[in-house]
C-alpha cells in the first residue's frame, strides 16, 4: 500500500498533459512566427530615384507611408495622394525630417469619390510634366455593414477598384509621355477566398461587408492583367503584388470584441508595415523588372495565380463594366 501511495495521481498526469499541449502549441506558434519572419521578402536594390516623380495613394499610413519613406531616401520626388490631409502632412514632416528629402508633396485624393479623383487627376495633368511611377496602394476594408459612396457605389469597391481604375485612365497620357514608366498595384492573396460576380459589380448590401475587400482585390488582379495587355508596347509596365498580411490600419474597422483576437494575431504573426512595403518598393525601383509587365509578385519574387484569376474574358468584361460605373466620357483618355 505504501508503494501505491507514492504513485502520481490522475490529476498529476492530466496537468502534465495540459502543460505539454500548451508547450507544443506555443512552440508551434513561435516556429510559425519565425518562419514568416525569415521568409518575408526584402528589397535589396540600391536604385536611386533622383529626378523621378512617384505618386503613392494612401501614403499617410501603413505600407504606403513606408514606401514613401524608402523612396524618399532614394531621392524621389513623391506626391502623397491621401484622403486625410492631417495625417498626410504629419507623415510628410516625419519622412522629410528623417530623410532630408524636401520633395514630398501632399495632395487631396479620396478614391471613393469620383469627383475627388477627377479633381486630383486634373491637378496632376496640369502641373506635372511626368509621372515615373504610379503606385495604387490605398485600400479600405469594412467589417459587417457596408457603406455607399457619394456616387452610389459600394464604398469598398469604389475605393479599392473603381477609384484606381478611373485614376489610371485620367493619368495614362502623362504616364505614356513619361515612358519608361511603371504602374504598381497592391492586390492581395485574399482574392483566393472570393470571386467577382459580373452580375453584381455594385454589391450594395453584401453581408458581411468584409468579404468585399477580398472581391476588390480580385478585381485589382483582373484590372492589372487587362491593363498590362492594353499597354503592351507603350513603355508603361504594370505589375501587381501581395504585400503579405500586414499589421496596419486596414484592420481598424474590426469591432470590439472581435478586434481583441485580431490584435493578438496581427501583432504576433503579421508583417510589419516596413516588411509589407518591400515588394512594392522592389517593383517601383528594381532594374530587373523594368521590362516585366502583367506579372504577380510576392516577397519580391514572381508568383502564381489561380486559374480563375487568369480568366482573360472575365477580366475584359469587368473592364467594360467598370468603364460604365466610373462614367468615362468620350473626352477622357482611352486605354
Amino acid at each position: 500500500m505504501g508503494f501505491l501511495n507514492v504513485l502520481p495521481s490522475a490529476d498529476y498526469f492530466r496537468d502534465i498533459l495540459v502543460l505539454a499541449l500548451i508547450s507544443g502549441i506555443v512552440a508551434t506558434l513561435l516556429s510559425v512566427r519565425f518562419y514568416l519572419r525569415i521568409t518575408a521578402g526584402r528589397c535589396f536594390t540600391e536604385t536611386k530615384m533622383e529626378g523621378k516623380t512617384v505618386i503613392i495613394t494612401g501614403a499617410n499610413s501603413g505600407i504606403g507611408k513606408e514606401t514613401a519613406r524608402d523612396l524618399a531616401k532614394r531621392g524621389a520626388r513623391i506626391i502623397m495622394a491621401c484622403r486625410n490631409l492631417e495625417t498626410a502632412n504629419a507623415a510628410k514632416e516625419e519622412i522629410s525630417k528623417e530623410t532630408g528629402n524636401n520633395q514630398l508633396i501632399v495632395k487631396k485624393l479620396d478614391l471613393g469619390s469620383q469627383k475627388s479623383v477627377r479633381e486630383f487627376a486634373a491637378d496632376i495633368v496640369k502641373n506635372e510634366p511626368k509621372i515615373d511611377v504610379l503606385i495604387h496602394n490605398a485600400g479600405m476594408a469594412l467589417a459587417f455593414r457596408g457603406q455607399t459612396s457619394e456616387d452610389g457605389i459600394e464604398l469598398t469597391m469604389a475605393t479599392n477598384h473603381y477609384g484606381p481604375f478611373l485614376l489610371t485612365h485620367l493619368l495614362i497620357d502623362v504616364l505614356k509621355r513619361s515612358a519608361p514608366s511603371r504602374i504598381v498595384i497592391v492586390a492581395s492573396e485574399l482574392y483566393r477566398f472570393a470571386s467577382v460576380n459580373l452580375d453584381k459589380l455594385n454589391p450594395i448590401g453584401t453581408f458581411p461587408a468584409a468579404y468585399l475587400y477580398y472581391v476588390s482585390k480580385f478585381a485589382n488582379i483582373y484590372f492589372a492583367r487587362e491593363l498590362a495587355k492594353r499597354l503592351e508596347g507603350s513603355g508603361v509596365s504594370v505589375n501587381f503584388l501581395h504585400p503579405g498580411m500586414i499589421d496596419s490600419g486596414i484592420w481598424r474597422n474590426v469591432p470590439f470584441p472581435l478586434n481583441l483576437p485580431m490584435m493578438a494575431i496581427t501583432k504576433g504573426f503579421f508583417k510589419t508595415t516596413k516588411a509589407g512595403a518591400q515588394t512594392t518598393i522592389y517593383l517601383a525601383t528594381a532594374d530587373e523588372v523594368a521590362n516585366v509587365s502583367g506579372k504577380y509578385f510576392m516577397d519580391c519574387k514572381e508568383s502564381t495565380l489561380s486559374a480563375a484569376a487568369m480568366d482573360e474574358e472575365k477580366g475584359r468584361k469587368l473592364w467594360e463594366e467598370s468603364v460604365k460605373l466610373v462614367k468615362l466620357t468620350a473626352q477622357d483618355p482611352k486605354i
Side-chain angles (χ1 to χ4, degrees):
M1 292 293 293
F3 174 75
L4 293 176
N5 288 337
V6 299
L7 289 175
S9 66
D11 289 343
Y12 173 82
F13 284 114
R14 183 199 62 201
D15 292 344
I16 290 294
L17 181 61
V18 170
L19 182 60
L21 181 61
I22 293 173
S23 298
I25 292 172
V26 171
T28 300
L29 292 176
L30 289 174
S31 297
V32 170
R33 182 179 183 181
F34 178 70
Y35 173 78
L36 292 173
R37 291 289 188 267
I38 64 173
T39 57
R42 183 179 171 190
C43 177
F44 291 101
T45 66
E46 297 181 358
T47 308
K48 297 301 181 184
M49 297 289 283
E50 287 98 344
K52 303 286 189 183
T53 295
V54 182
I55 296 177
I56 308 174
T57 65
N60 56 320
S61 63
I63 61 176
K65 181 179 176 182
E66 292 303 325
T67 301
R69 191 192 312 276
D70 184 280
L71 299 186
K73 290 177 181 178
R74 298 170 188 261
R77 178 173 175 270
I78 300 170
I79 297 174
M80 304 171 67
C82 305
R83 180 176 55 188
N84 188 324
L85 295 183
E86 182 179 353
T87 58
N89 281 305
K92 170 191 170 182
E93 294 303 316
E94 177 188 325
I95 294 170
S96 293
K97 184 176 180 181
E98 178 184 330
T99 64
N101 186 338
N102 295 315
Q103 300 182 92
L104 277 77
I105 303 162
V106 170
K107 291 185 181 291
K108 174 75 173 181
L109 173 63
D110 180 356
L111 285 164
S113 162
Q114 292 179 19
K115 179 175 182 290
S116 177
V117 172
R118 286 187 173 277
E119 288 175 348
F120 173 83
D123 180 11
I124 296 297
V125 170
K126 179 181 178 181
N127 297 302
E128 298 296 331
K130 66 171 185 169
I131 304 169
D132 296 285
V133 186
L134 170 61
I135 300 176
H136 286 302
N137 165 81
M140 66 164 294
L142 298 170
F144 293 107
R145 299 195 179 280
Q147 298 178 33
T148 303
S149 76
E150 64 187 40
D151 303 294
I153 299 175
E154 193 286 321
L155 189 58
T156 302
M157 291 296 293
T159 303
N160 296 359
H161 170 62
Y162 294 113
F165 181 87
L166 175 60
L167 181 60
T168 303
H169 275 79
L170 299 177
L171 297 182
I172 198 61
D173 288 345
V174 185
L175 284 157
K176 287 180 177 178
R177 189 169 68 233
S178 308
S181 54
R182 308 184 187 196
I183 299 173
V184 179
I185 299 172
V186 178
S188 174
E189 271 287 282
L190 291 173
Y191 85 89
R192 295 182 186 272
F193 297 100
S195 63
V196 175
N197 183 352
L198 293 175
D199 295 322
K200 196 176 182 182
L201 290 177
N202 186 14
I204 293 173
T206 298
F207 185 88
Y211 173 71
L212 295 178
Y213 178 79
Y214 308 164
V215 176
S216 70
K217 295 293 104 178
F218 209 145
N220 288 161
I221 292 171
Y222 279 144
F223 168 49
R225 283 175 47 80
E226 180 69 14
L227 179 62
K229 186 167 63 173
R230 289 171 179 250
L231 291 177
E232 188 173 349
S234 69
V236 183
S237 68
V238 183
N239 291 295
F240 51 108
L241 66 112
H242 170 58
M245 299 302 291
I246 312 299
D247 177 14
S248 72
I250 195 73
W251 310 106
R252 62 182 171 268
N253 290 316
V254 178
F256 180 86
L258 295 179
N259 64 336
L260 298 179
M262 193 68 193
M263 287 172 60
I265 294 170
T266 56
K267 297 298 181 185
F269 300 100
F270 284 18
K271 286 181 179 180
T272 63
T273 51
K274 182 177 181 179
Q278 296 303 300
T279 306
T280 303
I281 295 164
Y282 173 74
L283 292 176
T285 64
D287 292 332
E288 59 262 36
V289 295
N291 297 312
V292 175
S293 191
K295 301 300 182 181
Y296 180 50
F297 287 79
M298 188 188 313
D299 288 327
C300 301
K301 299 186 294 292
E302 189 176 331
S303 190
T304 57
L305 291 166
S306 68
M310 302 286 283
D311 188 335
E312 293 188 2
E313 179 63 16
K314 197 167 185 179
R316 182 185 63 78
K317 290 180 179 177
L318 172 63
W319 182 287
E320 293 172 352
E321 293 305 314
S322 296
V323 167
K324 300 173 186 176
L325 279 164
V326 302
K327 301 180 179 67
L328 283 171
T329 70
Q331 289 72 43
D332 289 327
K334 302 292 186 297
I335 299 178

